[in-house]
Amino acid sequence: MKQLFYVGSYAQKNEESLYAYVLDTETGAMTKQYGVKGIENPSFLTLGQDASRVYAVGETTDERPGTLSAFVVDLNGQGLTPLNEQSSLGSAPCHVVHDPEEKWLVVVNYGGGTLSLYPVMADGSIGPTADHVRHEGASVMADRQAGPHPHSSILDAQGRYVLVADLGIDKIVHYELDRQAGKLVKRGETDVAPGMGPRHMDFHPSGKWLYLVGELNNTVCVYEYRAEDSALALVQTVSTLPDGYDGVSWSADIHLSSSGRYLYTSNRGHDSIAVFEVGENGRLTPVEHVSTEGSYPRNFAITADDRWLLAANQQSNSIVSYRIDEASGRLTPTGHRAELGAPVCIRFVKD
């Protein structure tokens, strides 16, 4: 069987930067279907549930505002047609997410220290900016935390609250999504350990726990989540790196298996995927660290059936595939890789 996935990369506007691939779910081999030009550095993607729309940030590397672009999948499945583009209203947009009803998009601007809210129109295009919020503050690492740097956002299962991980100010900032007014209403903040640099998050399928990975101190924080008011209570902190490792590394991505039994993170520098078992109380137990067989694994993705994991090695220009053992969560490299320039985001199309 074949599983379609999209890849965003770092590339110039006149180069192919957004790709469609298929994964052979018998062997782990990956085959390119096509590439799309016209968007600069589509470093993060989100897909509509019906797989007919692809949304991509355009991550500027200077002070220019970035972009958010919408594409429609061609009926024959052989290409992407641009729908429209909006300014992200800030530099270096690095993450975009839907609300559960797919009527709103939230973009965070790492360089601009802001987040923007957009309505999704009936045809899937992106409407004008509905709200734009600026974070303030700093934290303890002068070279990385001199100002706000929101790195990702996530909506809870009800789609009521938007939680934003801000690497620059060491906080998770909580907003309520007011759909009627088209506003992000701030409801509170959760402080993390100074110097953690919160980056990406994932909710447990039960909605009971939130998992946060810190880029700067290479840890995962486990929080109990109270849905009625978006409150977090820290219950555990674990390292993403193996005991005894003292080299330079920065944690990047974090995902739970759809079963909720296993959690995975990527380590850039150690160049590995860390595997954890999730207990009935949400706590984590380390299982193993597996080499990504390349350099600087940024994003990775897991198939909906929890059988395959793909890791994007940004600096060695490759994507590698692994089989996931159902009983243990452990990863086995398939030996297959896809070669492409600076892959940074992988998104599977749901069946």
Side-chain angles (χ1 to χ4, degrees):
M1 294 182 63
K2 306 293 185 181
Q3 175 69 63
L4 178 66
F5 64 96
Y6 292 99
V7 182
S9 72
Y10 282 126
Q12 296 303 305
K13 201 168 186 177
N14 62 349
E15 302 172 317
E16 288 187 350
S17 59
L18 179 55
Y19 303 89
Y21 275 76
V22 292
L23 169 70
D24 185 323
T25 57
E26 296 298 324
T27 67
M30 296 159 283
T31 305
K32 179 182 173 181
Q33 301 301 289
Y34 57 85
V36 176
K37 299 180 181 180
I39 179 170
E40 178 184 1
N41 297 334
S43 64
F44 204 87
L45 315 174
T46 194
L47 311 180
Q49 291 293 321
D50 66 359
S52 65
R53 304 287 186 268
V54 177
Y55 299 91
V57 299
E59 184 179 337
T60 47
T61 55
D62 49 32
E63 294 304 311
R64 291 175 295 130
T67 60
L68 176 63
S69 298
F71 297 85
V72 61
V73 179
D74 292 352
L75 292 177
N76 62 7
Q78 294 302 307
L80 297 174
T81 300
L83 277 175
N84 75 324
E85 178 181 287
Q86 298 283 5
S87 170
S88 73
L89 301 181
S91 62
C94 60
H95 193 276
V96 57
V97 68
H98 270 300
D99 73 314
E101 297 177 354
E102 298 186 10
K103 294 182 178 179
W104 298 94
L105 290 160
V106 180
V107 173
V108 298
N109 294 296
Y110 179 89
T114 63
L115 53 150
S116 298
L117 177 69
Y118 304 85
V120 178
M121 312 309 287
D123 64 352
S125 62
I126 309 159
T129 309
D131 200 8
H132 184 65
V133 180
R134 182 175 300 279
H135 287 182
E136 302 291 343
S139 195
V140 296
M141 298 183 68
D143 59 335
R144 296 293 307 277
Q145 297 181 309
H149 295 300
H151 215 307
S152 68
S153 64
I154 193 169
L155 286 98
D156 64 8
Q158 294 73 32
R160 179 180 176 185
Y161 291 105
V162 181
L163 284 70
V164 179
D166 194 312
L167 180 147
I169 61 176
D170 279 329
K171 294 179 185 292
I172 300 172
V173 186
H174 303 244
Y175 295 92
E176 186 170 3
L177 175 56
D178 184 334
R179 289 174 168 79
Q180 188 171 8
K183 296 294 181 183
L184 293 167
V185 183
K186 186 175 178 180
R187 295 303 188 197
E189 298 177 343
T190 299
D191 293 325
V192 305
M196 179 189 189
R199 181 180 171 96
H200 281 194
M201 302 168 283
D202 202 6
F203 271 109
H204 191 270
S206 68
K208 294 179 180 179
W209 302 293
L210 178 75
Y211 298 85
L212 168 70
V213 70
E215 175 175 338
L216 302 182
N217 73 353
N218 300 291
T219 62
V220 175
C221 287
V222 183
Y223 294 92
E224 291 181 347
Y225 182 68
R226 193 170 63 201
E228 56 265 30
D229 58 355
S230 188
L232 295 173
L234 180 64
V235 297
Q236 186 188 26
T237 302
V238 297
S239 176
T240 64
L241 298 171
D243 292 341
Y245 179 79
D246 59 0
V248 175
S249 195
W250 299 274
S251 291
D253 205 8
I254 183 168
H255 295 288
L256 287 141
S257 60
S258 60
S259 68
R261 295 176 58 193
Y262 303 103
L263 180 137
Y264 303 84
T265 69
S266 57
N267 295 309
R268 298 168 296 173
H270 188 253
D271 294 338
S272 65
I273 301 294
V275 184
F276 300 88
E277 183 177 9
V278 181
E280 292 184 0
N281 60 1
R283 275 60 164 183
L284 301 177
T285 301
V287 173
E288 66 173 349
H289 292 80
V290 178
S291 170
T292 60
E293 303 180 356
S295 176
Y296 219 67
R298 177 89 168 248
N299 187 232
F300 64 93
I302 302 168
T303 54
D305 62 6
D306 292 342
R307 294 181 56 224
W308 299 92
L309 184 147
L310 305 184
N313 290 305
Q314 177 186 339
Q315 292 185 354
S316 56
N317 306 313
S318 65
I319 298 174
V320 295
S321 62
Y322 302 84
R323 295 181 186 271
I324 302 176
D325 182 76
E326 181 182 3
S328 67
R330 291 177 178 268
L331 303 177
T332 300
T334 67
H336 291 288
R337 68 178 55 231
E339 305 286 349
L340 69 161
V344 291
C345 186
I346 302 171
R347 285 290 176 267
F348 279 109
V349 173
K350 296 183 180 180
D351 294 330

